Amino acid sequence: MSHWIYFCDLCGTAVFALSGALAAGRHRMDPFGVIVLASVTAVGGGSIRDALIGATPVFWIRDPNYIIVILTTVLACLLLVRRPRKMPQYTLPVADALGLALFTVIGAEKALNMGLSGMIAVVMGLITGVGGGIIRDLLCRQIPMVLRTEIYATASIIGGIGYTVSLAFGMGEKTALFLAMTSALIIRLCAIKWHLSLPAFDLKTKRE
């Protein structure tokens, strides 16, 4: 993994750890609960990805810098965010959108480096992007964002496809990552702002 991709991965870890810490604050968890929720949000998706593709031990076990980033983010959040309820309503969704965009391309990039196909890389990008958020929402007893009608997983899939296709057509790695990450982020932010969603699959039994 190149230095700049590693840096992006650490940034994504910090952003997702922040979203987990903010979610813990909204549910009034104690400091230990904040650490747990921030940690599973930050490394949950990547851990599932590494387990599936056989990259074991998983990344945060091999590199403790990820744990340091999570703990630093949690500490900063606990010190700086005194009143979670007073935060703007969009803070958590925007932080989650940033993490989704970053982790999608990082997950796809790691799968490609393992020699996997572009299709599997897109799936691994999706798992990396949404896995931690699913665990976070389940622990908070909420329906995971990925299962709601609002566009979420679609943004990750488009970002992953954009990254793999750009590389296949010979685009530079940095440019491909930037474009894919930006496209996923813009789609997700637009969905948040204008409540964009895919059509719901609604089966209603007609009354006799």
Side-chain angles (χ1 to χ4, degrees), residues 50-179:
D50 283 1
L52 288 174
I53 65 178
T56 54
V58 296
F59 66 101
W60 56 270
I61 293 178
R62 287 182 279 108
D63 187 353
N65 286 333
Y66 290 94
I67 302 300
I68 295 173
V69 167
I70 292 170
L71 294 177
T72 302
T73 303
V74 169
L75 179 61
C77 188
L78 290 173
L79 293 177
L80 300 177
V81 184
R82 300 281 181 163
R83 298 178 180 177
R85 293 183 178 179
K86 300 297 183 181
M87 292 186 302
Q89 189 175 3
Y90 59 79
T91 303
L92 178 56
V94 170
D96 186 84
L98 286 169
L100 175 71
L102 280 166
F103 273 9
T104 292
V105 292
I106 294 298
E109 185 270 343
K110 185 163 188 177
L112 291 175
N113 283 344
M114 292 284 291
L116 301 175
S117 67
M119 181 179 295
I120 299 302
V122 173
V123 174
M124 291 301 113
L126 175 64
I127 291 174
T128 309
V130 307
I134 290 176
I135 300 172
R136 175 199 64 211
D137 292 344
L138 290 176
L139 290 177
C140 292
R141 294 184 294 181
Q142 294 180 334
I143 298 175
M145 288 187 184
V146 70
L147 299 181
R148 303 174 198 172
T149 56
E150 189 175 282
I151 292 175
Y152 187 80
T154 305
S156 176
I157 293 171
I158 291 175
I161 291 174
Y163 181 69
T164 56
V165 170
S166 297
L167 291 179
F169 279 91
M171 187 177 291
E173 193 175 36
K174 289 184 180 180
T175 304
L177 187 146
F178 176 78
L179 291 177

